[in-house]
């Protein structure tokens, strides 16, 4: 069963925040989420609150769109039955969504479309519907159903993707290249303190390493499906790797001197991206790669070419 999420921008969702700004109303929401539909009398009895107080708070929650109600016939007159609407409510500060720059070319690569791999167990793949193949069997990465993968994990090794170098088609030169993806470490179970050195390689050149702080399972990922066990990896960090003439950067922090000239983009019709954990990594803590339908960001691996 899919989960219902509400994403609230504080600047736009003040009525919703006001609806949550009461221990009594939060208690009502939690009760409906746990017990299912209840009428006002039942809520008042369970929470040991005056019926008049519950009626007022229910009305505020309904006005905020946090619950829905329906009137049903009772033995004496009618009764108002309350239903929970959302499984989770997320409060986020939304940035203004900018349109793709006119000089940028984007390609979104599904997780399962890797062109090469070499992984060690524990490892596995899953789609939004279930596990693909067998767990902890590297040869499962050859399963045709890998094309549906929405989450990939392994201990050491790599997966490699081949993106089209579309700048050649437009006869433009590349001034910057970006890769955006959601990543975390990988440990049996989860651990927020489990560092892992994740290295990106582009056209054979190691552009640098980002150390993931852990494998996150404290709460379900925003898009992680219900069937995925709560003790498993739930979400990662959205990382932006960028390479230009000045070097390589992750989230704006310089990680190496590798620049565009090292990638020899003009000589290749494709851009080969390798994501992995090296055998000589100082922190070989494995890797999770989250794709569309898993984690906190509903996207696959994004390549962005900025041209001039």
């Amino acid at each position: 069963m899919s989960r219902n999420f509400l994403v609230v921008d504080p600047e736009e969702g003040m009525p919703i925040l006001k609806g949550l700004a009461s221990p009594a109303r939060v208690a009502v929401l939690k009760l409906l989420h746990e017990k299912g539909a209840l009428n006002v009398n039942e809520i008042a009895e369970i929470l040991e609150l005056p019926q008049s107080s519950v009626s007022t708070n229910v009305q505020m929650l309904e006005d905020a769109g946090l619950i829905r109600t329906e009137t049903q016939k009772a033995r004496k007159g009618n009764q108002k039955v309350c239903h929970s609407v959302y499984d989770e409510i997320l409060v986020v500060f939304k940035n203004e969504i900018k349109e793709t720059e006119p000089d940028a070319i984007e390609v979104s690569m599904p997780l399962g479309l890797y062109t090469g791999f070499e992984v060690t167990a524990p490892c596995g793949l899953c789609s939004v519907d279930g596990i693909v193949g067998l767990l902890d069997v590297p040869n499962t990465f050859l399963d045709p159903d890998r094309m549906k993968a929405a989450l990939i994990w392994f201990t050491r090794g790599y997966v490699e993707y081949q993106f089209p170098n579309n700048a050649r088609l437009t006869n433009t030169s590349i001034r910057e290249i970006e890769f955006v993806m959601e990543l975390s470490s990988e440990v049996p179970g989860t651990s927020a303190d489990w560092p892992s050195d994740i290295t990106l390689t582009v056209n054979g050149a190691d552009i640098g390493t980002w150390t993931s702080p852990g494998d996150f399972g404290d709460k379900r990922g925003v898009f992680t499906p219900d069937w995925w066990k709560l003790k498993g990896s739930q979400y990662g960090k959205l990382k932006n790797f960028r390479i230009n003439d000045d070097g390589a950067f992750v989230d704006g922090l310089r990680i190496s001197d590798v620049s565009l000239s090292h990638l020899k983009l003009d000589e290749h019709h494709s851009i080969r991206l390798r994501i992995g954990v090296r055998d000589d990594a100082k922190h070989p803590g494995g890797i999770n790669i989250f794709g569309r339908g898993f984690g906190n960001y509903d996207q696959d691996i994004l390549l962005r070419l900025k041209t001039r």
Side-chain angles (χ1 to χ4, degrees), residues 126-148:
C126 64
S127 69
V128 294
D129 299 315
I131 299 294
V132 174
L134 301 174
L135 293 177
D136 300 332
V137 177
N139 279 347
T140 286
F141 278 62
L142 294 171
D143 192 307
D145 280 342
R146 68 183 175 87
M147 312 299 265
K148 303 175 184 177

Side-chain angles (χ1 to χ4, degrees), residues 5 92 128-129 209-210 215 291 299:
F5 295 89
V92 299
V128 294
D129 299 315
T209 298
W210 169 67
D215 184 358
Q299 67 166 63

